[in-house]
Amino acid sequence: MLAAPALAGPLLAPLPVQAQGAGGQLVTEEFMVPAKDAGIELFLRNKRPEAMTGFSPARTLLMVHGATYPAHTAFDLPLGGLSWMDYIAGRGFDVWCLDIRGYGRSTRPPEMAQPANANPPIVRGDTAVADIASAAAFIRQRRNLPRLTQLGYSWGTALMGRFAADNPSLVERLVLYAPVWLRTTPSLADPGGELGAYRSVTVEAARRRRGTGVPADKAAALIPPGWFEHWAGVTWATDPEGSRQNPPVIRAPNGSTADGREFWSAGKPFYDPAKITAPTLLVLGEWDQDTPPYMAQALFPLLTASPGKRLVLLGEGTHGMWMERNRGALFQAVQVFLEEATA
């Protein structure tokens, strides 16, 4: 059982926001970081022990989200009184999460103010990797560090994998949670047909997708009562324009779907795993239908230059295991990997 520290203050209270973690008081800071191109700012949230005065690559972590929803409403959502960022920071880490442009509290590209079918898919992988580079450079400069530890989730694993392959000297350790790799099954995120600049997702569509691949006798207990509704409430609220529609939607850039068609579904890698030199953890749930276990199993042997690489398959979890009753197993599997670097 994962012990939850008591939290103080609302989720989006004025800064600094403090919470009691295992390592003492936690402090939260938020930043808008300029992207490499003009007019785009990227939202970064940081949590760390208030008493932390020294920083190291092994204990400074940047987390990046997947294809549809922002980072801060997943990684820093206090479910049962505890967010994943709280848990990591409470164990003595300086932890950051990034919303890529078009997501969450980062700048939405101008195409998102137009009808979806007026433009081709926006925020392709190369653009998203450049946003990660901007955020990582900001953190490295602020903490005076040569490297960071980095975690990607779902589509974010492709982005973080590409960044680590292209910039091996900048990555201390790498966590790929629900890793994307070459696809031999249909994508749940690709509806087919022509892709516009972005797509619109309703809460009910998200709810239906959450249960994909879960045995019928396990579905009712997968997510504790109220957790999905809490996440949906704060997540859909990050898109004021989408919230005004009936029913409310969250708009997500379609660049990730276009990437899927060009790379993963076409048998073409987005990056070369052999160029990743950081210790790497692949971790996912057994019921994951978005990035099924065969992807991680195919990717693992290709990480030929990754020392101490690890593949962990967790029982009774889906693609969104971070929000499920067994999320403690995910948190602990990742934490063991992170902390062995400083043991």
Side-chain angles (χ1 to χ4, degrees):
M1 175 68 87
L2 190 62
L7 299 184
L11 179 62
L12 294 178
L15 298 182
V17 181
Q18 294 184 336
Q20 182 69 36
Q25 291 288 326
L26 301 183
V27 62
T28 300
E29 290 188 284
E30 297 178 344
F31 304 88
M32 297 302 296
V33 177
K36 292 184 177 179
D37 44 334
I40 301 291
E41 290 190 322
L42 308 171
F43 175 70
L44 269 176
R45 178 176 291 171
N46 170 235
K47 282 195 167 182
R48 66 188 187 277
E50 185 179 35
M52 179 177 280
T53 56
F55 302 92
S56 69
R59 285 189 171 260
T60 305
L61 173 68
L62 172 61
M63 308 174 80
V64 169
H65 57 83
T68 307
Y69 309 111
H72 75 275
T73 68
F75 302 139
D76 200 30
L77 183 68
L79 298 169
L82 178 74
S83 76
W84 196 356
M85 288 182 71
D86 290 328
Y87 176 67
I88 298 171
R91 293 188 63 87
F93 279 71
D94 180 37
V95 56
W96 302 71
C97 72
L98 166 68
D99 291 349
I100 292 166
R101 72 180 68 192
Y103 295 85
R105 292 168 62 181
S106 291
T107 303
R108 286 178 170 75
E111 293 90 341
M112 294 185 77
Q114 303 174 34
N117 60 7
N119 293 283
I122 59 170
V123 193
R124 295 294 302 268
D126 287 344
T127 299
V129 172
D131 285 352
I132 291 171
S134 295
F138 173 84
I139 298 167
R140 292 195 308 271
Q141 181 178 26
R142 188 170 182 86
R143 300 299 192 230
N144 192 27
L145 295 174
R147 299 174 303 281
L148 303 177
T149 297
Q150 302 192 185
L151 179 152
Y153 167 45
S154 191
W155 180 52
T157 66
L159 307 177
M160 287 299 210
R162 171 72 171 271
F163 181 88
D166 290 351
N167 305 278
S169 66
L170 300 182
V171 180
E172 178 78 4
R173 295 173 82 79
L174 181 64
V175 177
L176 303 181
Y177 161 39
V180 176
W181 195 242
L182 305 187
R183 179 174 293 281
T184 61
T185 53
S187 170
L188 298 183
D190 188 347
E194 187 173 351
L195 295 175
Y198 57 88
R199 62 193 180 280
S200 297
V201 182
T202 65
V203 172
E204 285 310 308
R207 190 191 303 273
R208 288 193 300 271
R209 186 167 163 187
R210 284 281 173 188
T212 304
V214 181
D217 62 335
K218 301 287 188 178
L222 182 67
I223 301 176
W227 284 18
F228 175 87
E229 291 76 14
H230 184 188
W231 166 75
V234 297
T235 299
W236 266 249
T238 64
D239 186 355
E241 183 173 327
S243 296
R244 289 193 291 268
Q245 298 185 29
N246 187 18
V249 300
I250 190 168
R251 296 168 302 146
N254 260 337
S256 61
T257 308
D259 285 351
R261 292 183 181 184
E262 180 177 346
F263 294 100
W264 314 117
S265 293
K268 178 182 175 183
F270 184 62
Y271 65 92
D272 183 356
K275 292 183 178 179
I276 295 175
T277 59
T280 302
L281 167 67
L282 310 183
V283 60
L284 73 159
E286 65 168 325
W287 296 333
D288 192 328
Q289 298 296 298
D290 289 80
T291 54
Y294 74 78
M295 291 186 175
Q297 292 161 354
L299 173 59
F300 185 73
L302 303 179
L303 294 163
T304 54
S306 173
K309 64 184 179 180
R310 186 172 305 165
L311 170 57
V312 178
L313 183 64
L314 299 169
E316 299 195 2
T318 75
H319 194 66
M321 193 171 182
W322 61 268
M323 190 171 56
E324 297 168 3
R325 63 178 177 84
N326 286 333
R327 67 183 186 138
L330 171 64
F331 290 8
Q332 291 167 353
V334 171
Q335 201 67 30
V336 166
F337 177 76
L338 295 177
E339 292 189 14
E340 70 185 13
T342 55

